[in-house]
Structure formats: C-alpha cells, structure tokens
Amino acid sequence: MDKIRLLQMRRKKITDIGKDIRKDINAIIDDNSFVELSAFSFSQNDFYGEEAEGEGVVTGFATVKDYPFYIVAQNSAVLSGGVSKANCEKIAKCINQAEKTSTPVIYFLSSLGVQIGEGINVLEGLASLILKASQLKGTVPQYLIVDGEVYGQIAVLAGLCDFTFFIDKKSVLAANSPLVISAKSGKNIDKFNVGSVNGLNKSNLVSFNVKNLSEVKDKIIKINALLASAVNESNELNKTIAALDKKVDCETLLSVLDKDSYLEIGSACAPEIKCLLGRIGGISVAAVIFDGENGVSLNAVNVRKIKEFAEFACCYGLPYVTFVNTLGIEENIETNNSLVIKEIGEYVSILDCIDSAKISVVVGKAIGLGYTVFAAKNMGYDYSYAFANSKIALFDDVQGAEIEFSDEKKVDKKKLTERYSDENSDPVNAAKGGYIDNIIQPSFIKQYLVASLQMLVK
C-alpha cells in the first residue's frame, strides 16, 4: 500500500469536511500561517454509526499580524458541531499549550449541543474543558467568535472569554435550545430574539457586534496591540479639549483618549456605561465613562458591567480611569430587591486588587454612594480630580435631603437648603478636606491624566 497516497487521501477527506471552518479561520489569520494539531484524531459515534473526523474540531496555531495565537474551531459539518468527550479533550489539549506558552486563544464556536449517545461522558469532558478555560482566564486573552448557532453547556465558554464577537444575522448563543426556551416561556420567539445581540442585551456576553470576520480580525489586532505594548509614542501629550469647557458629554470626553486608539467593549449591555480600551498619551488604559446627561443611576446590571471591566483591567495590569457622573443607587423597589449591593461589594474588592494606576475624574455628579465607590480618595484612587463645574454631595438636591430626613422630628429646612444648595455642592468643599487632588478646568484634563499616568505607570 502506498502510504504517501493513503496520507494524501486521508488529509483530503479531513480538509473537505472542514472546508467551511477552515475558510473562516483563514479569514482572520495571516496567509499560510496555520499549523494544525491532532488533525488525524477521530472517534466513532455509536448512536449515529458515524466517525467524528478530527473529533469535530480543528485546533492549531497561527499568527494574526505576526503575533501568535492558538486556534480552536468547532466544525459544524461534523455531527452538527456536536460536543463530545473527545471533542472537549482536544480543545483542552490546545488550551494547555496556550497556557504553557502564554499565547492568546481564538475560539470559533458553532454547535447545536452535545452528541447524542455520549451520556455522562460528555458532561465530564465539558467539566474539564470549562475548568481549563477558567484557569486560563486572566493569564492570556481569550477571544470567542460565535460563528453560527451555539447551544448548551459549551456556551459557558462565552462567560469565561475576555472578548466575544457576534456576527450580524449569523450568531445565536443560548444555554438551551431557543425552541425549548420559547416553549417554556409560553411565547413564540424567534431564535435571534432569544440569543442574538438584542436577546442578550442584559447579559454582558456580547463584547462586539460585527458585520463579518474581517471586522473581527481588525478588532483582535487592535486589542492585542493595546495589551502587548503598554506604552506607544504619542503626539497628544499636551492636547487641550476646548469643547469640554462648553459642554461635558460622552462624545466630547472620548477626545481624552488618543485618536483612533480606542474600542468600546459591550455596548449592547447597559449603554449608559461606556467601557473603553484605548490609550491616553500613548499609554494603554481601561476607561469607564458614565454617559448620562443628569447622572447615571446605579443598578445590578450596570454595576456588574463596570465590575467585570475592572476585573479585566486588574488581570492585565491596565491603568484604570473612571469619568464619574453618577447619582448613586437607583431609587426603586426593583433595584433595592436586586443584586446591586452585592455587585458593588464585589466591585470594591476588585478595585482594591488593581495594582496599576487608579484615577478618578468627577466630570458631572458624584452623589452619595456614587462618590464613595467611584471617586473617594479613601477608596484607593491614586489621583482624584474634579471638573470645576462638577457636583459632589451627599444628596443630589435639597428635596432629596428633606425626604431622607423626613422621619426626623426637627428638620431645619433652611439649614438643609444652605447645606445642599448648588453653591455648597461644588468640588471645592471636597478639595478643602484633601479628598480631591485638584479641581480642573475641563479643557486641560488630558494633560493632567497624561502627567499622572506617566508618574504611576511602571
């Protein structure tokens, strides 16, 4: 038997059945850079009486703009991308290599669930895979592309990866089949309304909603550049932003970040909170902007979004900058009976673990708990700044104070008015106590931040 011809025939069979997923892999990697691992592994599915070519998953390593990545790609052409124990073991093997070499991982997921007939074996396989991905979290970046429909326990990977990409009109992710979810909900819901970007707008599972894989590639390159090189040359070290003296809003505050350097993460969830990776004066930062004209009220969803972003900054040693405009916890029964206080407590714990620079800028309001958590000097911020036209106070207005003290027998409304008037709620009072490092004319904020980062970044 001609062993070389036999090898060629086997390789062609494997390549043919994986042509679509290989095309997707090639769309984001450098030309001819992919080296496949465990290509000839396969198992027999007794239920269907079919072979799972390559275990239904393609693994290997490649470069993206000359930077190495490990690649894990489920092949939906093999048993509908069904997850098996062998499938999980092959993926875990690849993740092990990524951990050993400190190399980022890119996952392509497309699976309708577990392979029928696997029984509890596949659950053990999933357990080992999920644990392995969890152990990699915070060590090297993990990027996940929802490359079709992803149902079942494999969807948990989306909760462990640093960045998830949903492709418009293609990506659907759900813990169970959308048909089951729809039936159990007593509604007739389309799969895209269950598990696409709109269906997951409170989950914070969607880092980016993109049009195609070319856009995925561009974003991975940009993120990798921010994480791989902490400091770049910049011509914006002394930039002033005159527009901030006239109006402080999110669009103008974005000018604080170097031009074309930043990406917004997770815009679909809690859009009033902007989480941004970018550079300020050439220094990579994780920045949070509270985007609300009259201040953002805190709830369990938006605090969790901030918390997870702060955790990312902590894991990768990024300076953490918050542009604060918050009224504290939202005042309603639903929010009170939610996980918001728990989430704030966990956020504080993560904030305490950030070893890199922590800078707070009060750009609007910092009211009550909003000040305590996001701007207070004793919360561990290296520098706390405030715009001259910002407001720092225990309550947002006199009416709020009156309501708070309405149970008291003797409330001197005149004194409350004096204490909580706009004149006495400016940042000067906080600065007098040594709690604000400097009160800034808004147009000069970038210069202050660049100088502070240069002092703090190691």
Side-chain angles (χ1 to χ4, degrees), residues 288-365:
V288 175
I289 297 177
F290 289 74
D291 183 16
E293 185 176 350
N294 295 312
V296 173
S297 294
L298 303 174
N299 57 50
V301 176
N302 59 27
V303 174
R304 183 173 181 85
K305 180 178 180 178
I306 299 169
K307 181 191 77 175
E308 291 179 350
F309 191 60
E311 184 178 21
F312 175 83
C314 180
C315 288
Y316 294 101
L318 291 170
Y320 182 63
V321 184
T322 56
F323 296 88
V324 181
N325 184 16
T326 177
L327 305 171
I329 295 178
E330 193 170 0
E331 298 161 334
N332 59 47
I333 292 173
E334 182 183 1
T335 302
N336 188 62
N337 185 27
S338 74
L339 293 172
V340 64
I341 292 176
K342 192 89 169 167
E343 296 289 357
I344 288 172
E346 291 178 4
Y347 171 75
V348 171
S349 296
I350 290 168
L351 189 67
D352 187 49
C353 293
I354 296 177
D355 290 329
S356 190
K358 288 178 283 193
I359 302 174
S360 173
V361 185
V362 181
V363 299
K365 297 178 180 180

Side-chain angles (χ1 to χ4, degrees), residues 98 236 239 336:
E236 297 191 20
K239 180 179 178 181
N336 188 62

Side-chain angles (χ1 to χ4, degrees), residues 23-245:
K23 182 180 177 181
D24 286 352
I25 293 171
N26 289 331
I28 68 165
I29 65 171
D30 298 337
D31 291 343
N32 302 313
S33 68
F34 185 62
V35 177
E36 190 167 354
L37 302 173
S38 304
F40 294 99
S41 61
F42 71 92
S43 58
Q44 184 79 24
N45 185 287
D46 295 329
F47 189 86
Y48 288 108
E50 297 179 20
E51 287 183 354
E53 299 288 350
E55 306 299 2
V57 61
V58 177
T59 62
F61 55 87
T63 59
V64 180
K65 202 172 183 181
D66 299 323
Y67 198 92
F69 289 82
Y70 274 93
I71 307 292
V72 171
Q74 284 185 307
N75 185 4
S76 59
V78 177
L79 298 175
S80 300
V83 179
S84 67
K85 185 173 185 290
N87 179 291
C88 293
E89 288 173 346
K90 185 173 178 179
I91 296 173
K93 181 180 177 182
C94 188
I95 298 174
N96 267 326
Q97 290 300 115
E99 183 179 37
K100 190 179 295 185
T101 57
S102 298
T103 304
V105 182
I106 300 172
Y107 302 91
F108 293 78
L109 291 194
S110 180
S111 173
L112 298 184
V114 299
Q115 289 185 24
I116 297 175
E118 281 272 324
I120 199 169
N121 291 324
V122 69
L123 301 182
E124 287 289 345
L126 280 161
S128 63
L129 167 57
I130 291 169
L131 179 62
K132 191 73 246 178
S134 174
Q135 291 168 343
L136 195 63
K137 184 176 176 64
T139 303
V140 294
Q142 298 181 84
Y143 303 84
L144 186 145
I145 303 164
V146 181
D147 198 31
E149 299 175 53
V150 178
Y151 306 143
Q153 294 183 44
I154 196 70
V156 173
L157 274 179
L160 295 171
C161 288
D162 299 290
F163 304 99
T164 55
F165 298 85
F166 278 59
I167 302 170
D168 194 33
K169 298 179 182 178
K170 182 179 183 181
S171 300
V172 182
L173 182 138
N176 298 287
S177 164
L179 289 174
V180 174
I181 293 173
S182 179
K184 291 284 187 180
S185 302
K187 300 176 181 178
N188 185 16
I189 309 173
D190 177 81
K191 65 183 180 183
F192 286 102
N193 289 326
V194 172
S196 69
V197 175
N198 291 334
L200 297 172
N201 63 357
K202 292 184 179 179
S203 68
N204 203 29
L205 287 172
V206 185
S207 301
F208 302 102
N209 184 29
V210 299
K211 294 179 181 177
N212 49 47
L213 289 171
S214 176
E215 194 174 341
V216 173
K217 180 177 181 178
D218 291 343
K219 291 188 185 304
I220 289 176
I221 290 171
K222 198 165 187 176
I223 293 167
N224 186 63
L226 287 165
L227 298 179
S229 178
V231 182
N232 267 13
E233 288 186 10
S234 173
N235 59 1
E236 297 191 20
L237 301 180
N238 297 305
K239 180 179 178 181
T240 58
I241 308 166
L244 281 173
D245 286 345

Side-chain angles (χ1 to χ4, degrees), residues 392-425:
I392 299 174
L394 190 59
F395 303 104
D396 189 25
D397 51 31
V398 177
Q399 288 75 23
E402 289 179 356
I403 292 170
E404 185 71 19
F405 294 112
S406 61
D407 290 338
E408 298 291 332
K409 291 182 179 179
K410 293 182 179 180
V411 176
D412 190 328
K413 291 188 178 182
K414 184 179 178 181
K415 286 186 177 180
L416 283 179
T417 300
E418 291 174 355
R419 183 178 289 267
Y420 296 106
S421 64
D422 285 340
E423 288 77 11
N424 289 328
S425 295

